[in-house]
Amino acid sequence: MALIGKIREKSWLLIAVIGIAMLAFIIGDLGSMGGGPQEDVYGIGTVNGEKVDEQEYNLFLNNARNNIMQDKQQKNPTVQPTYTEADEQSAVQQAWSTAVVEGLMEKEYEKIGLIVDEIEIENILYGENGYTPSSISMQFTDSVTGEFAPDQLRNALEGLLDSNDPDNIQQYNDIMDYIRQVRLNEKYNTLLSAGVHSTTLEGKHEYNAKNTVKTVSYVFQNFTQVPNDAISEPTDEEVEKYFNEHKNDKKYHQKASRKISYFALPIEPSSSDTLNAIDYLSKLKPKFQEAKNDSLFVLRFSTVKRFANDSTSMARPAGSAQQGPTYPLSVAAEMEAAKVGDVVGPYIGQNGAKISKVLGFGDEKTATVRHILLNAGTPEEFDAAQAKADSILRVIKAKKNFEEMVVEFSQDPGSKNNGGKYEKFAPGTMVAPFNDFSFNKPIGSLGTVKTSYGIHIVEVLDREATKRPILAEVVKAVEATKTTADQVNSIASNYIYDLDDMFSGKSLEEKANIFDTFVVNNGYNVRFATIQDENPSVAGFNEIAEGRLLRLAYEDGVKAGDISSSPIRDQNRIIVAFVSDIVKEGVPTLNLVKDQMRAELRKEKQAQYLIDKMLGNDDLQALAKDLGVKGNNEGLTFSASNVAVGREPQIIGTAFSGLVDGEMSVPVKGSNGVFVLRVDQTTPAGETTDYSAEIEQLKSQYRTTLQSQHRASIIKSADVIDNRKLRRYGIR
């Protein structure tokens, strides 16, 4: 009865579990998509050739789901928690990671003879002999004191154990196993941490790294600033030579994977679909005109269920930066000339086709100005633009030739062909300084304004209260019909037929070139997906499309160069895909990394170009001027992670490389550019003999790092195959 009472106390959890079960059913097993029965070699996955225990995995999954719900309940006790698809993805990932690690750790525990006996489990359950009660135990508390109630727990466990129901006995065993696993993990981590130490010398180094300051000056030029014609593009021969020299580098090591190249044909509403929506609204328009209850009419017939008859429904012409409804300029004249009760449309606007009934009008303060923009970005450019604007302003005041000056000087394409005018815009539409000048200065004012775009010469022409319609809108979403989708699918089928014909007898490299050229020539973009063999999945696709792509990549007999046998539907697009490569673990092929290596070679050439320009110049100010960059001055510590120009650890390393005050480095290649640095002053760390704070900090860091690195290394050293998705789609 105790457990029944607990269920009653936590009725929200029962509801959550039901919700989780329903969600799992909705997004559940699509194995029926696969073929006939086959030998289950992999199960849901393997670790070092042994199948992962699916029952244990499901237990971990249920625990993860419950933990997520409990966390939500604890964070916001007054709100009924909801379980989302994102929560399910997180729970699935947690469960898999736990299943893999637990299996590997069992082997580790066996190696060192680590055990947890029945007496220890008893002590942990009931908090006896100096042990803290487990998290499961703490769910049983006295209703009056709120303290842990061991008798309640004991009665509940005895009830499970004495039951004739196999599920209750299994629940009891699961609880015992959970307590055991947690305790084994605690013991193992304690053993790991016991070997962690930090010496006084390490503490001293850490203290100095945080407190010794090098004040430096340096000039930095980014690789991207090297002109394209200043260096030669790496040749195929250079790339091949670089490949032979660096193919065994760790950063080029490849994991076993499948590469998919694909392009997408969007399923967009056709002109016929648009006409159908317009025709529907045309027939509805007279009824809307005659309707006595506009809100009920909108809620009944509109795709967008929104109605208001106050200023929140005041509409403005399209292009306004103000929030709220808008109408296209094509119906602006009709809309603004309409009377209360008139219905305007149908027309294509926000969210689809529309008819709009005028419920009334509101007045909105608007301004009309004209301006000349002189673009600027850097402080130097702003100074130059301001001087030029002042000169132009003097000419305008003398000759009254604003429009002529707009044509000659303005760099704003949005208004240059309109005499520089922006008409009847509302407050808040423009950036703040421009807005303030337009609405606060007297009409006829002429002056300059500085914004993030540059320097503006602005003349206030008019301000008025502009009449804006308040609208009730019936929206008909313009959606692609099945006929339209079938037409796109037919086009994609023809593409597959053409590509398959062109692929005949060609090498993989030739197929890749044919595919890329074909896609671009037909107005699409080539996209790529890399599927790791150890964890096959394809992000960004719906369930069915992901299954089709995984089947393409992993079906029996698949070869690099195979194309999808038919188009793949993914929501509002049709996918055409082919297997562009099957990558084996280890050293890459040239074709796989040539683009990456070409980029590295280009960067080396850019670096050498900048090094040659910087060599021999011992005046940093003059060097900065020659390169057209700003010099940098800052104080650095050895423990810093970033500098003024970004993440460039080489700058910090060079500053602390042994340069004395006043000494300048040679040009040094960094991560993103080349720099020359001078140490101006070294401020040593204050004298102390107490490094205890640093020692404790390092020990804490070492413990945390050791535990996470140990877990990662255990997984990395194992041969892990995640077969959940391939099994789900009936592929293996």
Side-chain angles (χ1 to χ4, degrees):
M1 292 299 293
L3 283 185
I4 295 296
K6 285 294 167 186
I7 291 174
R8 286 173 180 162
E9 288 174 18
K10 299 185 181 293
S11 59
W12 64 267
L13 187 57
L14 179 61
I15 295 169
V17 170
I18 293 170
I20 291 168
M22 291 180 67
L23 181 63
F25 175 78
I26 291 169
I27 65 174
D29 198 326
L30 298 182
S32 58
M33 293 171 55
Q38 54 183 319
E39 184 184 358
D40 190 2
V41 177
Y42 295 95
I44 62 170
T46 61
V47 178
N48 292 330
E50 296 182 10
K51 284 186 185 179
V52 173
D53 187 320
E54 187 169 1
Q55 184 176 347
E56 191 173 69
Y57 166 78
N58 287 328
L59 174 63
F60 294 146
L61 181 55
N62 286 329
N63 287 340
R65 288 167 173 166
N66 290 334
N67 288 338
I68 288 171
M69 294 300 292
Q70 288 174 7
D71 286 344
K72 287 189 172 187
Q73 180 70 12
Q74 290 170 3
K75 288 176 181 175
N76 201 345
T78 61
V79 177
Q80 180 69 46
T82 57
Y83 191 81
T84 66
E85 188 170 345
D87 292 331
E88 177 68 5
Q89 291 173 355
S90 176
V92 166
Q93 183 56 42
Q94 289 178 41
W96 176 252
S97 177
T98 303
V100 170
V101 172
E102 289 294 343
L104 292 169
M105 289 306 299
E106 282 292 340
K107 305 289 186 185
E108 292 294 308
Y109 301 149
E110 290 175 11
K111 284 180 186 177
I112 62 175
L114 197 62
I115 63 169
V116 175
D117 60 24
E118 298 300 322
I119 295 174
E120 194 169 0
I121 290 177
E122 184 87 1
N123 287 330
I124 294 168
L125 274 171
Y126 300 108
E128 298 172 345
N129 297 317
Y131 285 82
T132 302
S134 73
S135 58
I136 289 178
S137 306
M138 293 306 296
Q139 294 181 31
F140 294 82
T141 57
D142 187 280
S143 58
V144 177
T145 65
E147 298 293 325
F148 168 51
D151 290 341
Q152 290 185 27
L153 173 61
R154 196 178 303 276
N155 290 336
L157 292 177
E158 288 176 355
L160 290 174
L161 191 57
D162 295 339
S163 171
N164 293 323
D165 186 343
D167 290 340
N168 287 343
I169 296 173
Q170 182 61 50
Q171 185 181 355
Y172 177 87
N173 291 331
D174 288 343
I175 290 171
M176 296 301 110
D177 190 55
Y178 174 77
I179 298 294
R180 173 182 168 276
Q181 290 292 338
V182 171
R183 183 57 180 162
L184 282 170
N185 190 56
E186 288 175 351
K187 283 184 166 183
Y188 194 89
N189 284 335
T190 300
L191 287 173
L192 283 178
S193 300
V196 172
H197 296 283
S198 179
T199 66
T200 301
L201 183 60
E202 287 176 308
K204 181 178 181 180
H205 285 323
E206 180 67 13
Y207 174 80
N208 287 330
K210 291 191 296 186
N211 295 285
T212 299
V213 178
K214 293 274 189 179
T215 304
V216 301
S217 300
Y218 61 93
V219 172
F220 177 87
Q221 180 68 294
N222 200 292
F223 294 134
T224 60
Q225 299 304 308
V226 175
N228 290 332
D229 58 358
I231 61 169
S232 61
E233 188 67 16
T235 64
D236 290 342
E237 291 76 17
E238 288 175 321
V239 173
E240 187 171 357
K241 180 183 177 185
Y242 189 88
F243 170 78
N244 290 326
E245 293 171 350
H246 296 277
K247 63 184 179 183
N248 291 309
D249 291 0
K250 184 178 179 180
K251 67 178 178 179
Y252 297 118
H253 180 86
Q254 299 294 308
K255 289 186 175 182
S257 61
R258 311 290 167 103
K259 307 284 185 180
I260 301 292
S261 296
Y262 69 94
F263 65 99
L265 290 70
I267 302 174
E268 297 173 335
S270 65
S271 57
S272 176
D273 297 330
T274 302
L275 288 174
N276 287 339
I278 293 291
D279 183 58
Y280 170 82
L281 291 176
S282 296
K283 294 174 181 176
L284 199 62
K285 183 175 180 179
K287 296 180 181 179
F288 196 19
Q289 185 93 43
E290 297 166 4
K292 303 302 181 185
N293 190 327
D294 296 322
S295 63
L296 187 62
F297 194 92
V298 168
L299 293 174
R300 180 181 177 187
F301 292 104
S302 181
T303 303
V304 179
K305 310 294 183 184
R306 180 189 180 280
F307 177 87
N309 57 4
D310 55 19
S311 60
T312 60
S313 288
M314 191 165 68
R316 300 168 180 83
S320 170
Q322 296 290 96
Q323 293 184 345
T326 64
Y327 47 85
L329 298 178
S330 59
V331 298
E334 182 183 0
M335 190 73 74
E336 290 159 11
K339 302 185 295 294
V340 173
D342 286 353
V343 177
V344 177
Y347 60 88
I348 301 298
Q350 291 172 315
N351 305 314
K354 290 183 178 183
I355 49 177
S356 300
K357 190 171 189 177
V358 179
L359 304 179
F361 291 92
D363 288 334
E364 182 174 60
K365 183 179 179 182
T366 61
T368 298
V369 305
R370 57 183 177 181
H371 84 134
I372 297 168
L373 171 63
L374 304 178
N375 289 333
T378 66
E380 295 79 9
E381 289 173 343
F382 271 104
D383 290 343
Q386 184 65 61
K388 187 174 182 179
D390 292 340
S391 175
I392 294 171
L393 190 59
R394 286 193 292 270
V395 174
I396 291 173
K397 287 179 177 179
K399 296 187 176 182
K400 310 296 183 185
N401 61 344
F402 198 105
E403 292 189 1
E404 292 178 18
M405 292 293 164
V406 169
V407 173
E408 186 172 354
F409 294 107
S410 184
Q411 294 173 297
D412 176 20
S415 67
K416 188 168 184 176
N417 296 327
N418 188 34
K421 284 186 181 180
Y422 282 108
E423 299 183 277
K424 295 185 178 181
F425 58 88
T429 303
M430 305 296 186
V431 291
F434 195 102
N435 178 87
D436 294 345
F437 192 98
S438 302
F439 284 94
N440 298 336
K441 294 290 185 180
I443 293 173
S445 295
L446 183 62
T448 62
V449 175
K450 180 181 179 180
T451 73
S452 57
Y453 296 100
I455 303 296
H456 308 255
I457 301 168
V458 184
E459 183 178 9
V460 181
L461 299 178
D462 193 17
R463 276 195 295 272
E464 59 184 299
T466 298
K467 187 175 71 171
R468 303 291 195 198
I470 296 172
L471 303 177
E473 298 181 329
V474 174
V475 181
K476 175 66 174 174
V478 181
E479 298 175 339
T481 61
K482 183 179 183 301
T483 300
T484 300
D486 288 345
Q487 289 171 348
V488 177
N489 195 75
S490 178
I491 294 170
S493 295
N494 289 333
Y495 285 159
I496 291 174
Y497 179 85
D498 293 341
L499 283 165
D500 192 47
D501 188 52
M502 288 187 281
F503 281 2
S504 180
K506 298 295 192 294
S507 67
L508 178 60
E509 186 171 358
E510 289 172 327
K511 288 180 179 180
N513 291 332
I514 289 169
F515 186 84
D516 292 353
T517 303
F518 181 89
V519 173
V520 172
N521 287 345
N522 281 281
Y524 303 103
N525 295 318
V526 181
R527 304 180 187 278
F528 307 95
T530 299
I531 308 172
Q532 300 294 339
D533 284 4
E534 65 183 13
N535 179 22
S537 64
V538 194
F541 295 85
N542 66 20
E543 291 277 349
I544 295 174
E546 182 184 39
R548 290 284 310 278
L549 289 170
L550 288 174
R551 187 174 298 284
L552 171 66
Y554 288 96
E555 62 187 348
D556 289 342
V558 66
K559 304 183 299 298
D562 286 355
I563 192 167
S564 53
S565 58
S566 61
I568 299 169
R569 176 71 183 266
D570 180 46
Q571 297 177 349
N572 291 321
R573 59 180 184 167
I574 302 289
I575 304 297
V576 175
F578 94 107
V579 182
S580 53
D581 207 351
I582 296 178
V583 180
K584 294 182 179 180
E585 177 88 17
V587 178
T589 61
L590 172 60
N591 189 57
L592 196 63
V593 294
K594 66 180 179 182
D595 290 339
Q596 183 182 356
M597 289 188 167
R598 193 182 299 276
E600 289 291 335
L601 264 174
R602 187 182 299 109
K603 186 179 287 188
E604 288 192 2
K605 290 190 174 190
Q606 291 168 331
Q608 192 57 55
Y609 171 83
L610 292 174
I611 288 171
D612 291 342
K613 287 197 70 172
M614 293 180 178
L615 278 172
N617 195 331
D618 57 1
D619 185 334
L620 286 181
Q621 189 173 0
L623 178 59
K625 186 175 181 180
D626 289 346
L627 295 173
V629 298
K630 185 178 76 170
N632 295 278
N633 304 92
E634 57 183 308
L636 303 176
T637 63
F638 192 69
S639 60
S641 56
N642 289 325
V643 295
V645 295
R647 188 165 182 80
E648 287 289 345
Q650 294 88 342
I651 289 179
I652 298 170
T654 301
F656 286 86
S657 64
L659 294 177
V660 299
D661 291 359
E663 188 176 1
M664 192 160 74
S665 74
V666 297
V668 179
K669 177 189 174 186
S671 301
N672 301 295
V674 175
F675 63 90
V676 174
L677 176 145
R678 181 184 67 230
V679 175
D680 296 324
Q681 182 179 355
T682 301
T683 305
E687 289 291 334
T688 184
T689 57
D690 181 11
Y691 306 112
S692 57
E694 286 73 25
I695 291 171
E696 287 304 313
Q697 178 188 343
L698 287 172
K699 284 170 70 175
S700 176
Q701 289 175 358
Y702 292 162
R703 288 192 193 102
T704 302
T705 302
L706 177 62
Q707 290 177 10
S708 62
Q709 286 182 345
H710 175 266
R711 181 187 177 99
S713 65
I714 286 284
I715 296 173
K716 188 175 181 180
S717 63
D719 181 15
V720 179
I721 297 176
D722 183 350
N723 197 50
R724 288 174 298 168
K725 283 203 172 179
L726 295 188
R727 188 186 195 217
R728 180 179 186 176
Y729 295 119
I731 298 169
R732 71 179 183 194

XYZ file of all heavy atoms in Angstrom, residues 626-659:
240
model
N 51.857 50.988 -42.895
C 52.126 50.340 -44.188
C 51.072 49.275 -44.507
O 50.660 49.116 -45.658
C 53.517 49.687 -44.178
C 54.635 50.725 -44.207
O 54.347 51.905 -44.505
O 55.789 50.351 -43.914
N 50.643 48.549 -43.469
C 49.677 47.475 -43.680
C 48.234 47.959 -43.675
O 47.319 47.216 -44.034
C 49.843 46.402 -42.595
C 51.167 45.634 -42.582
C 51.254 44.730 -41.358
C 51.314 44.803 -43.857
N 48.027 49.218 -43.240
C 46.667 49.746 -43.178
C 45.854 49.174 -42.039
O 44.632 48.991 -42.165
N 46.524 48.860 -40.911
C 45.819 48.307 -39.758
C 46.100 49.170 -38.536
O 46.973 50.039 -38.548
C 46.254 46.847 -39.476
C 45.922 45.961 -40.651
C 47.743 46.767 -39.140
N 45.334 48.903 -37.468
C 45.528 49.615 -36.216
C 46.427 48.789 -35.309
O 46.240 47.575 -35.175
C 44.172 49.853 -35.542
C 44.241 50.700 -34.280
C 42.853 50.925 -33.691
C 42.383 49.680 -32.979
N 41.151 49.906 -32.188
N 47.413 49.424 -34.685
C 48.252 48.725 -33.727
C 47.476 48.383 -32.466
O 46.489 49.040 -32.127
N 47.900 47.350 -31.772
C 47.221 46.903 -30.555
C 48.151 47.013 -29.363
O 49.349 46.710 -29.463
C 46.775 45.444 -30.702
C 45.725 45.265 -31.777
O 44.549 45.496 -31.555
N 46.162 44.874 -32.968
N 47.596 47.441 -28.233
C 48.332 47.514 -26.972
C 47.467 46.890 -25.888
O 46.309 47.286 -25.728
C 48.647 48.962 -26.592
C 49.405 49.702 -27.670
O 48.794 50.347 -28.512
N 50.719 49.624 -27.646
N 48.017 45.920 -25.155
C 47.248 45.324 -24.064
C 48.168 44.612 -23.094
O 49.321 44.302 -23.408
C 46.186 44.365 -24.592
C 46.690 43.222 -25.455
C 45.538 42.380 -25.987
O 44.697 41.949 -25.176
O 45.480 42.152 -27.212
N 47.624 44.381 -21.899
C 48.341 43.626 -20.885
C 47.905 42.176 -20.919
O 46.708 41.887 -20.880
N 48.872 41.259 -20.972
C 48.559 39.839 -21.099
C 49.083 39.059 -19.905
O 50.146 39.363 -19.364
C 49.196 39.259 -22.370
C 48.839 39.913 -23.704
C 49.641 39.259 -24.826
C 47.344 39.806 -23.972
N 48.329 38.048 -19.501
C 48.823 37.053 -18.556
C 48.931 35.724 -19.292
O 48.241 35.501 -20.300
C 47.876 36.889 -17.352
O 46.619 36.394 -17.815
C 47.685 38.213 -16.627
N 49.758 34.850 -18.772
C 49.969 33.570 -19.457
C 48.718 32.689 -19.400
O 48.532 31.804 -20.227
C 51.154 32.825 -18.826
C 51.621 31.656 -19.640
C 52.243 31.849 -20.868
C 51.426 30.352 -19.194
C 52.664 30.771 -21.631
C 51.844 29.265 -19.951
C 52.466 29.479 -21.176
N 47.835 32.950 -18.434
C 46.622 32.136 -18.308
C 45.476 32.674 -19.163
O 44.394 32.083 -19.178
C 46.168 32.094 -16.843
O 45.882 33.408 -16.374
N 45.689 33.791 -19.881
C 44.629 34.353 -20.718
C 44.310 33.394 -21.864
O 45.151 32.607 -22.293
C 45.057 35.712 -21.273
N 43.063 33.461 -22.358
C 42.664 32.592 -23.469
C 42.480 33.360 -24.769
O 42.654 32.810 -25.846
C 41.366 31.850 -23.131
O 40.342 32.771 -22.804
N 42.129 34.642 -24.675
C 41.910 35.457 -25.870
C 42.690 36.755 -25.781
O 43.058 37.212 -24.691
C 40.418 35.785 -26.053
C 39.609 34.583 -26.474
O 40.091 33.741 -27.225
N 38.384 34.483 -25.989
N 42.914 37.357 -26.937
C 43.523 38.681 -27.011
C 42.591 39.588 -27.808
O 41.511 39.158 -28.241
C 44.926 38.623 -27.670
C 45.889 37.825 -26.812
C 44.848 38.016 -29.070
N 42.989 40.825 -28.019
C 42.105 41.801 -28.659
C 41.676 41.385 -30.059
O 40.573 41.716 -30.494
C 42.788 43.170 -28.703
N 42.528 40.642 -30.775
C 42.192 40.258 -32.156
C 41.539 38.881 -32.231
O 41.342 38.345 -33.318
C 43.456 40.291 -33.055
C 43.987 41.711 -33.172
C 44.531 39.340 -32.529
N 41.184 38.292 -31.073
C 40.495 37.008 -31.080
C 41.308 35.916 -30.405
O 42.194 36.182 -29.578
N 41.005 34.695 -30.764
C 41.714 33.551 -30.167
C 43.011 33.321 -30.929
O 43.031 32.666 -31.969
C 40.832 32.308 -30.196
C 41.436 31.150 -29.418
C 40.416 30.060 -29.146
N 40.995 28.973 -28.352
C 41.173 28.999 -27.035
N 40.792 30.058 -26.361
N 41.714 27.977 -26.397
N 44.088 33.887 -30.416
C 45.424 33.769 -31.020
C 46.422 33.396 -29.926
O 47.148 34.248 -29.403
C 45.826 35.078 -31.698
C 45.107 35.379 -32.993
C 45.541 34.472 -34.141
O 46.591 33.801 -34.015
O 44.834 34.428 -35.159
N 46.459 32.125 -29.523
C 47.354 31.719 -28.429
C 48.827 31.969 -28.728
O 49.635 32.114 -27.808
C 47.063 30.214 -28.275
C 46.417 29.795 -29.568
C 45.678 30.991 -30.053
N 49.188 32.034 -30.036
C 50.590 32.273 -30.379
C 51.050 33.652 -29.900
O 52.233 33.850 -29.597
C 50.796 32.162 -31.895
C 50.579 30.761 -32.450
C 49.133 30.498 -32.832
O 48.228 31.214 -32.402
N 48.907 29.476 -33.640
N 50.124 34.625 -29.842
C 50.493 35.962 -29.356
C 50.881 35.886 -27.882
O 51.898 36.452 -27.457
C 49.337 36.954 -29.585
C 49.196 37.243 -31.085
C 49.556 38.246 -28.802
C 48.061 38.188 -31.436
N 50.089 35.148 -27.093
C 50.400 34.996 -25.667
C 51.705 34.218 -25.503
O 52.575 34.590 -24.705
C 49.243 34.287 -24.945
C 47.961 35.123 -25.052
C 49.592 34.028 -23.483
C 46.716 34.419 -24.588
N 51.840 33.144 -26.283
C 53.058 32.344 -26.199
C 54.297 33.137 -26.553
O 55.341 33.020 -25.896
N 54.205 33.987 -27.580
C 55.357 34.801 -27.996
C 55.711 35.824 -26.927
O 56.896 36.069 -26.638
C 55.042 35.505 -29.326
O 54.746 34.527 -30.324
C 56.228 36.349 -29.790
N 54.680 36.428 -26.302
C 54.932 37.431 -25.258
C 55.704 36.829 -24.091
O 56.529 37.506 -23.456
C 53.611 38.024 -24.776
N 55.452 35.536 -23.791
C 56.096 34.880 -22.651
C 57.199 33.913 -23.088
O 57.576 33.016 -22.344
C 55.044 34.128 -21.824
C 54.168 35.036 -21.009
C 53.030 35.593 -21.565
C 54.498 35.359 -19.702
C 52.220 36.435 -20.825
C 53.689 36.204 -18.953
C 52.543 36.749 -19.513
N 57.717 34.109 -24.308
C 58.712 33.177 -24.846
C 60.137 33.511 -24.431
O 61.070 32.833 -24.852
C 58.627 33.166 -26.376
O 58.973 34.443 -26.904
N 60.316 34.549 -23.630
C 61.657 34.937 -23.209
C 62.077 36.302 -23.702
O 63.211 36.742 -23.444
N 61.193 37.006 -24.426
C 61.510 38.363 -24.872
C 61.662 39.279 -23.664
O 60.828 39.270 -22.761
C 60.398 38.907 -25.782
C 60.184 38.218 -27.142
C 58.992 38.839 -27.859
C 61.425 38.318 -28.010
